[in-house]
PDB file of all heavy atoms in Angstrom:
ATOM      1  N   MET N   1     -65.060-177.671-136.501  1.00 45.00           N
ATOM      2  CA  MET N   1     -63.723-177.226-136.072  1.00 45.00           C
ATOM      3  C   MET N   1     -63.671-175.732-135.858  1.00 45.00           C
ATOM      4  O   MET N   1     -63.220-175.242-134.853  1.00 45.00           O
ATOM      5  CB  MET N   1     -62.720-177.639-137.151  1.00 45.00           C
ATOM      6  CG  MET N   1     -61.411-176.915-137.060  1.00 45.00           C
ATOM      7  SD  MET N   1     -60.484-177.158-138.568  1.00 45.00           S
ATOM      8  CE  MET N   1     -59.874-175.550-138.817  1.00 45.00           C
ATOM      9  N   GLY N  44     -65.675-172.779-150.615  1.00 87.00           N
ATOM     10  CA  GLY N  44     -65.837-173.152-152.016  1.00 87.00           C
ATOM     11  C   GLY N  44     -66.346-174.591-152.198  1.00 87.00           C
ATOM     12  O   GLY N  44     -66.972-174.905-153.209  1.00 87.00           O
ATOM     13  N   LEU N  46     -68.599-175.945-150.357  1.00 89.00           N
ATOM     14  CA  LEU N  46     -70.002-176.065-149.911  1.00 89.00           C
ATOM     15  C   LEU N  46     -70.969-175.809-151.064  1.00 89.00           C
ATOM     16  O   LEU N  46     -70.617-175.135-152.038  1.00 89.00           O
ATOM     17  CB  LEU N  46     -70.278-175.029-148.811  1.00 89.00           C
ATOM     18  CG  LEU N  46     -69.571-175.251-147.475  1.00 89.00           C
ATOM     19  CD1 LEU N  46     -69.815-174.050-146.566  1.00 89.00           C
ATOM     20  CD2 LEU N  46     -70.036-176.528-146.783  1.00 89.00           C
ATOM     21  N   GLU N  90     -39.233-138.714-116.809  1.00 73.00           N
ATOM     22  CA  GLU N  90     -37.965-138.351-116.173  1.00 73.00           C
ATOM     23  C   GLU N  90     -37.136-137.428-117.047  1.00 73.00           C
ATOM     24  O   GLU N  90     -36.334-136.645-116.561  1.00 73.00           O
ATOM     25  CB  GLU N  90     -37.175-139.625-115.842  1.00 73.00           C
ATOM     26  CG  GLU N  90     -37.662-140.241-114.541  1.00 73.00           C
ATOM     27  CD  GLU N  90     -37.169-141.650-114.332  1.00 73.00           C
ATOM     28  OE1 GLU N  90     -36.378-142.126-115.157  1.00 73.00           O
ATOM     29  OE2 GLU N  90     -37.585-142.260-113.343  1.00 73.00           O
ATOM     30  N   CYS N 135     -51.213 -83.689 -91.528  1.00 93.00           N
ATOM     31  CA  CYS N 135     -49.834 -83.966 -91.940  1.00 93.00           C
ATOM     32  C   CYS N 135     -48.836 -83.189 -91.073  1.00 93.00           C
ATOM     33  O   CYS N 135     -47.728 -83.646 -90.851  1.00 93.00           O
ATOM     34  CB  CYS N 135     -49.656 -83.602 -93.412  1.00 93.00           C
ATOM     35  SG  CYS N 135     -48.169 -84.326 -94.130  1.00 93.00           S
ATOM     36  N   GLU N 176     -56.611 -89.739 -83.475  1.00 94.00           N
ATOM     37  CA  GLU N 176     -57.871 -89.009 -83.505  1.00 94.00           C
ATOM     38  C   GLU N 176     -59.067 -89.968 -83.462  1.00 94.00           C
ATOM     39  O   GLU N 176     -60.046 -89.741 -82.769  1.00 94.00           O
ATOM     40  CB  GLU N 176     -57.913 -88.183 -84.806  1.00 94.00           C
ATOM     41  CG  GLU N 176     -59.255 -87.595 -85.178  1.00 94.00           C
ATOM     42  CD  GLU N 176     -59.636 -86.400 -84.318  1.00 94.00           C
ATOM     43  OE1 GLU N 176     -58.753 -85.880 -83.597  1.00 94.00           O
ATOM     44  OE2 GLU N 176     -60.813 -85.992 -84.362  1.00 94.00           O
ATOM     45  N   LYS N 195     -35.606 -83.861-106.053  1.00 89.00           N
ATOM     46  CA  LYS N 195     -35.061 -84.120-107.378  1.00 89.00           C
ATOM     47  C   LYS N 195     -34.735 -85.619-107.461  1.00 89.00           C
ATOM     48  O   LYS N 195     -34.144 -86.170-106.536  1.00 89.00           O
ATOM     49  CB  LYS N 195     -33.779 -83.291-107.541  1.00 89.00           C
ATOM     50  CG  LYS N 195     -33.412 -83.062-108.973  1.00 89.00           C
ATOM     51  CD  LYS N 195     -32.227 -82.124-109.068  1.00 89.00           C
ATOM     52  CE  LYS N 195     -31.686 -82.198-110.468  1.00 89.00           C
ATOM     53  NZ  LYS N 195     -30.306 -81.810-110.576  1.00 89.00           N
ATOM     54  N   TYR N 207     -42.900 -96.764 -93.207  1.00 95.00           N
ATOM     55  CA  TYR N 207     -43.620 -97.751 -92.391  1.00 95.00           C
ATOM     56  C   TYR N 207     -43.738 -97.141 -90.999  1.00 95.00           C
ATOM     57  O   TYR N 207     -42.749 -96.966 -90.299  1.00 95.00           O
ATOM     58  CB  TYR N 207     -42.840 -99.067 -92.358  1.00 95.00           C
ATOM     59  CG  TYR N 207     -43.674-100.232 -91.893  1.00 95.00           C
ATOM     60  CD1 TYR N 207     -44.404-100.992 -92.795  1.00 95.00           C
ATOM     61  CD2 TYR N 207     -43.738-100.564 -90.543  1.00 95.00           C
ATOM     62  CE1 TYR N 207     -45.180-102.057 -92.368  1.00 95.00           C
ATOM     63  CE2 TYR N 207     -44.509-101.626 -90.110  1.00 95.00           C
ATOM     64  CZ  TYR N 207     -45.215-102.381 -91.032  1.00 95.00           C
ATOM     65  OH  TYR N 207     -45.978-103.439 -90.609  1.00 95.00           O
ATOM     66  N   LEU N 213     -50.065 -96.740 -74.552  1.00 97.00           N
ATOM     67  CA  LEU N 213     -50.399 -97.623 -73.431  1.00 97.00           C
ATOM     68  C   LEU N 213     -50.314 -96.794 -72.141  1.00 97.00           C
ATOM     69  O   LEU N 213     -49.795 -95.672 -72.160  1.00 97.00           O
ATOM     70  CB  LEU N 213     -49.397 -98.785 -73.370  1.00 97.00           C
ATOM     71  CG  LEU N 213     -49.386 -99.764 -74.564  1.00 97.00           C
ATOM     72  CD1 LEU N 213     -48.205-100.708 -74.470  1.00 97.00           C
ATOM     73  CD2 LEU N 213     -50.692-100.544 -74.645  1.00 97.00           C
ATOM     74  N   LYS N 219     -37.134 -98.009 -73.637  1.00 95.00           N
ATOM     75  CA  LYS N 219     -36.681 -99.393 -73.557  1.00 95.00           C
ATOM     76  C   LYS N 219     -37.598-100.300 -74.383  1.00 95.00           C
ATOM     77  O   LYS N 219     -37.148-101.201 -75.091  1.00 95.00           O
ATOM     78  CB  LYS N 219     -36.694 -99.830 -72.089  1.00 95.00           C
ATOM     79  CG  LYS N 219     -35.604-100.805 -71.710  1.00 95.00           C
ATOM     80  CD  LYS N 219     -35.521-100.946 -70.222  1.00 95.00           C
ATOM     81  CE  LYS N 219     -36.106-102.276 -69.816  1.00 95.00           C
ATOM     82  NZ  LYS N 219     -36.106-102.477 -68.370  1.00 95.00           N
ATOM     83  N   GLY N 234     -31.039-110.809 -89.546  1.00 89.00           N
ATOM     84  CA  GLY N 234     -30.210-111.851 -88.946  1.00 89.00           C
ATOM     85  C   GLY N 234     -29.779-111.498 -87.532  1.00 89.00           C
ATOM     86  O   GLY N 234     -29.755-110.329 -87.134  1.00 89.00           O
ATOM     87  N   LYS N 244     -32.095 -87.368 -81.920  1.00 94.00           N
ATOM     88  CA  LYS N 244     -32.524 -86.719 -83.154  1.00 94.00           C
ATOM     89  C   LYS N 244     -33.801 -85.931 -82.894  1.00 94.00           C
ATOM     90  O   LYS N 244     -34.624 -86.336 -82.069  1.00 94.00           O
ATOM     91  CB  LYS N 244     -32.749 -87.780 -84.242  1.00 94.00           C
ATOM     92  CG  LYS N 244     -32.475 -87.190 -85.605  1.00 94.00           C
ATOM     93  CD  LYS N 244     -32.232 -88.207 -86.673  1.00 94.00           C
ATOM     94  CE  LYS N 244     -32.152 -87.474 -88.013  1.00 94.00           C
ATOM     95  NZ  LYS N 244     -32.311 -88.345 -89.137  1.00 94.00           N
ATOM     96  N   GLY N 254     -32.745 -91.405 -83.763  1.00 96.00           N
ATOM     97  CA  GLY N 254     -32.544 -91.957 -85.104  1.00 96.00           C
ATOM     98  C   GLY N 254     -31.965 -93.345 -84.923  1.00 96.00           C
ATOM     99  O   GLY N 254     -31.108 -93.550 -84.059  1.00 96.00           O
ATOM    100  N   PHE N 260     -24.180-104.225 -93.071  1.00 78.00           N
ATOM    101  CA  PHE N 260     -23.869-105.669 -93.114  1.00 78.00           C
ATOM    102  C   PHE N 260     -22.939-106.010 -94.264  1.00 78.00           C
ATOM    103  O   PHE N 260     -22.341-107.055 -94.303  1.00 78.00           O
ATOM    104  CB  PHE N 260     -25.152-106.501 -93.218  1.00 78.00           C
ATOM    105  CG  PHE N 260     -26.031-106.063 -94.347  1.00 78.00           C
ATOM    106  CD1 PHE N 260     -25.764-106.473 -95.636  1.00 78.00           C
ATOM    107  CD2 PHE N 260     -27.093-105.212 -94.107  1.00 78.00           C
ATOM    108  CE1 PHE N 260     -26.558-106.044 -96.678  1.00 78.00           C
ATOM    109  CE2 PHE N 260     -27.890-104.780 -95.156  1.00 78.00           C
ATOM    110  CZ  PHE N 260     -27.612-105.193 -96.447  1.00 78.00           C
ATOM    111  N   LEU N 289     -50.597 -85.976 -78.119  1.00 96.00           N
ATOM    112  CA  LEU N 289     -51.679 -86.749 -77.486  1.00 96.00           C
ATOM    113  C   LEU N 289     -52.840 -85.818 -77.131  1.00 96.00           C
ATOM    114  O   LEU N 289     -54.009 -86.135 -77.391  1.00 96.00           O
ATOM    115  CB  LEU N 289     -51.168 -87.455 -76.233  1.00 96.00           C
ATOM    116  CG  LEU N 289     -50.134 -88.570 -76.442  1.00 96.00           C
ATOM    117  CD1 LEU N 289     -49.670 -89.123 -75.107  1.00 96.00           C
ATOM    118  CD2 LEU N 289     -50.718 -89.710 -77.276  1.00 96.00           C
ATOM    119  N   PRO N 296     -52.404 -86.924 -71.599  1.00 96.00           N
ATOM    120  CA  PRO N 296     -50.991 -87.348 -71.494  1.00 96.00           C
ATOM    121  C   PRO N 296     -50.570 -87.724 -70.076  1.00 96.00           C
ATOM    122  O   PRO N 296     -49.505 -88.315 -69.880  1.00 96.00           O
ATOM    123  CB  PRO N 296     -50.206 -86.134 -71.987  1.00 96.00           C
ATOM    124  CG  PRO N 296     -51.138 -84.991 -71.931  1.00 96.00           C
ATOM    125  CD  PRO N 296     -52.544 -85.503 -71.925  1.00 96.00           C
TER     126      PRO N 296
END
Side-chain angles (χ1 to χ4, degrees):
M1 163 194 138
L46 292 173
E90 278 166 5
C135 196
E176 167 75 13
K195 201 174 166 204
Y207 197 89
L213 296 171
K219 214 168 106 182
K244 210 161 173 197
F260 53 81
L289 293 177

